[in-house]
Amino acid sequence: MDVEAVRAALSPQALAPPIARALGLRPESVAAALGLLAEGAQPAFIARHRPDRVDGLGIAELERIQGAAARAAAFEFQRQQLRDELRERAWTSDALDEVVRNAEHALDLEDVRLLLRRRKRGPAAKARGAGLQQVADAFLRVGTRGPLADPTASGWRRGGGGDRPGAEEHEDVQDEAADSTATHAETESVVETNATGDDAAGEGTAAEVGAKHGEDVNNGASTRADGAEAANAALADDPFALAMARTSEAFPTLDDVLAGARTICAERIAEWPVLRIALRRQLIAHAKLAAHVVPERREKAGRYLKLTERAESCGQITHGHLLAMSRGEREGLLAVELEADETALFEEARALLGICDDPAGEQISLALQEAWQYGLGKAVRAGVRRMLKERADSDAVAEYADALRPMLLAPAYGHRPVIGIDPGFQGGCRVVVVDPSGAVLEHDAIFPLQPRLQVPQARARLLELVVRHGAYAIAIADAGGGRELERLVRQWLREPSAPITVASAPGDDRGRRRRKGANKTGANSG
């Protein structure tokens, strides 16, 4: 893994712009917050003690920045793992590197990782086994002007487009062996014919005859090789002629060969990551999500009928609406589907593929329709549903957190001043007074415990703070020395000379949980 690349991608300067766009914040504030978070500061600490560094961002915004940074870090590690895997497979395609570099979602990386998986045996494998891979390559080369027209694009899939590594190379070796066998047979025929003629004429020695025959064989082989190359070059420019030349027992007619070649093209189109990413974005931007009641279960779908009144745009659907649709679908009461303009999708795909307006381009268009019908469409729609569900979950969790945060962080005694004590031995007991809004009014340290045992001074100082600020309760932290300190504080507050009264003071032999409850319910001093 390239550690330097990961460090650069996760720097505050690199993460701040996309996070700021997603959250609607200033990039400078986000960069400052990321820097403080990287140093170990927590959102509550930053909001309370470093607000000037982050332009007054609240705890909620800082928590969202922290969550976005954590997700970005996890995604960057996934990107680097995929790069390492591609490097281990010795894949050096610039197009794939660009896809990985520009990936914005985990699905984008999964589209590239799909190329690394082993294919299932299917019609395309049968067509490749019959030698139709070259026909498919010819149609893509002649019928498109996009990236798939590049012959090296077929090497994206396991180093050659076959079902196993080196599949096409193996087919080439078989073809070369067949050509070699044919050439050897023709050479023997030439040698026998010439030898018969030389014997009848009785001209020259055996060595001269052999040399002459060798020259004839070499010249004949060279001529046939040149002719074969010229014929292959001519066929490569005419995929239909190449398809006619590849008819076989498995594909006896031209239509059968064209159908097999289209199947190979459709498989390659469906696996092209750039196309899958572009179609997903097109659906997210323009498609609508519609829910329909399952006819057999209409009687039980009463509470979901409102969701079926109209289709919602994928870009504007609320998380509550989407989650309700998903729940109805899980219960078997609703059928949810994406409604999209497939004509616009095909135009987008044709533009990305660079399909030409010629007979070869028509075959690629048919292959595109086949790819959408038998795999590409299902995969793209499933990816869109996954992205919508992730967004809905994130929005719902954020909304619930915003609703619960005031309740969970509300003062236990309402808007009243409270004294908090953090017990300690060597460093003393730190005392802080906060007002009804939580702002610090005063802080100090007392030493009633070992080793100093300044009990009178600590008592006087604590009672002074209680009277001065009208403290309603005293909260003692659960730390070392807490029980001893609690015992002393209760004793001080029960003394007749204390300037305050105690609402309740359970005995020191009560349980720990009971003592904590007493601390929270004490009136005016607790």
Side-chain angles (χ1 to χ4, degrees):
M1 181 176 293
D2 191 347
V3 179
E4 293 299 330
V6 174
R7 183 179 290 111
L10 297 181
S11 64
Q13 293 74 19
L15 290 178
I19 293 178
R21 286 195 301 271
L23 301 180
L25 302 174
R26 296 180 62 250
E28 296 79 8
S29 303
V30 175
L34 290 173
L36 292 173
L37 291 170
E39 296 174 0
Q42 294 302 311
F45 174 84
I46 298 173
R48 180 61 61 84
H49 302 287
R50 300 291 186 273
D52 55 323
R53 298 271 298 275
V54 294
D55 295 338
L57 292 178
I59 297 178
E61 289 81 4
L62 292 169
E63 287 179 347
R64 291 192 179 97
I65 293 173
Q66 187 180 39
R71 291 190 295 271
F75 181 73
E76 188 61 32
F77 280 112
Q78 292 179 8
R79 192 203 309 271
Q80 291 300 325
Q81 288 175 355
L82 180 58
R83 284 175 175 168
D84 295 341
E85 192 172 355
L86 292 173
R87 195 175 298 112
E88 290 175 0
R89 300 289 184 92
W91 285 20
T92 58
S93 171
D94 294 338
L96 283 182
D97 293 341
E98 183 178 359
V99 173
V100 175
R101 183 173 59 254
N102 297 330
E104 299 178 355
H105 192 273
L107 283 172
D108 301 346
L109 300 181
E110 291 180 10
D111 290 337
V112 178
R113 188 169 280 107
L114 175 66
L115 302 176
L116 302 176
R117 299 175 185 170
R118 188 177 183 85
R119 283 195 186 112
K120 295 181 179 179
R121 299 290 297 182
K126 178 183 176 182
R128 282 192 297 270
L132 301 187
Q133 181 69 58
Q134 295 180 355
V135 180
D137 292 341
F139 273 109
L140 288 171
R141 183 170 57 254
V142 176
T144 65
R145 294 294 181 267
L148 293 185
D150 185 0
T152 60
S154 61
W156 284 10
R157 185 79 148 98
R158 300 186 66 83
D163 285 334
R164 61 190 184 280
E168 284 194 357
E169 289 82 348
H170 181 64
E171 293 175 0
D172 293 340
V173 170
Q174 289 182 337
D175 294 340
E176 292 177 1
D179 295 341
S180 176
T181 302
T183 303
H184 181 65
E186 294 174 357
T187 302
E188 288 182 348
S189 176
V190 172
V191 170
E192 290 175 358
T193 303
N194 291 340
T196 303
D198 290 340
D199 290 342
E203 295 179 356
T205 63
E208 293 175 351
V209 172
K212 182 178 180 181
H213 291 170
E215 293 177 359
D216 293 340
V217 168
N218 292 334
N219 292 335
S222 177
T223 302
R224 284 191 297 275
D226 294 340
E229 292 179 359
N232 290 333
L235 291 176
D237 294 334
D238 188 355
F240 290 95
L242 182 60
M244 180 61 73
R246 288 305 177 101
T247 56
S248 62
E249 183 178 352
F251 299 89
T253 65
L254 176 61
D255 291 339
D256 296 332
V257 175
L258 293 178
R262 287 197 303 269
T263 302
I264 298 175
C265 294
E267 187 179 63
R268 189 181 301 175
I269 290 171
E271 293 174 347
W272 188 34
V274 177
L275 180 61
R276 297 165 75 98
I277 295 171
L279 293 181
R280 269 201 308 271
R281 293 176 180 173
Q282 182 84 353
L283 285 176
I284 287 287
H286 302 289
K288 294 183 177 181
L289 202 63
H292 307 283
V293 177
V294 177
E296 296 80 5
R297 308 197 63 183
R298 179 173 294 275
E299 297 179 356
K300 298 183 179 181
R303 58 176 176 165
Y304 294 112
L305 292 179
K306 184 178 287 187
L307 302 177
T308 64
E309 294 177 355
R310 68 181 187 279
E312 294 287 342
S313 173
C314 291
Q316 300 178 355
I317 187 170
T318 62
H319 63 270
H321 199 151
L322 179 61
L323 293 177
M325 282 185 176
S326 300
R327 184 168 57 252
E329 189 177 30
R330 287 197 307 271
E331 295 176 1
L333 303 176
L334 296 180
V336 182
E337 60 182 14
L338 281 169
E339 296 180 351
D341 184 2
E342 293 194 356
T343 302
L345 288 176
F346 282 121
E347 290 300 324
E348 176 79 9
R350 286 178 60 88
L352 287 173
L353 293 171
I355 297 178
C356 303
D357 294 329
D358 56 16
E362 293 179 1
Q363 295 295 318
I364 301 301
S365 297
L366 294 175
L368 173 60
Q369 296 178 4
E370 182 178 342
W372 178 263
Q373 183 177 359
Y374 291 106
L376 179 61
K378 182 178 179 180
V380 170
R381 292 176 186 273
V384 171
R385 291 290 303 275
R386 173 178 164 181
M387 294 176 69
L388 292 176
K389 181 64 166 56
E390 291 177 356
R391 187 179 68 186
D393 289 342
S394 177
D395 293 345
V397 170
E399 182 175 323
Y400 295 154
D402 291 341
L404 290 175
R405 183 177 288 107
M407 300 173 58
L408 298 176
L409 298 180
Y413 291 101
H415 294 284
R416 296 185 176 95
V418 177
I419 293 179
I421 305 178
D422 181 19
F425 293 98
Q426 188 68 33
C429 302
R430 292 177 290 274
V431 183
V432 62
V433 184
V434 295
D435 66 3
S437 65
V440 177
L441 298 177
E442 191 172 352
H443 62 87
D444 200 351
I446 58 178
F447 300 88
L449 304 178
Q450 294 284 352
R452 298 195 184 184
L453 291 176
Q454 298 178 359
V455 178
Q457 298 89 329
R459 173 185 176 280
R461 178 56 174 159
L462 182 62
L463 295 179
E464 177 188 355
L465 294 176
V466 170
V467 174
R468 179 185 302 174
H469 300 287
Y472 179 79
I474 296 176
I476 300 175
D478 186 11
R483 293 184 180 182
E484 295 83 351
L485 180 60
E486 180 185 349
R487 189 177 300 113
L488 288 173
V489 171
R490 290 189 181 279
Q491 180 181 349
W492 298 341
L493 297 179
R494 285 199 298 265
E495 293 178 358
S497 59
I500 53 178
T501 59
V502 180
S504 60
D508 293 339
D509 57 345
R510 300 294 181 90
R512 180 179 178 185
R513 185 176 302 176
R514 182 67 176 275
R515 288 198 300 272
K516 289 185 178 179
N519 286 345
K520 291 182 180 180
T521 57
N524 192 32
S525 61

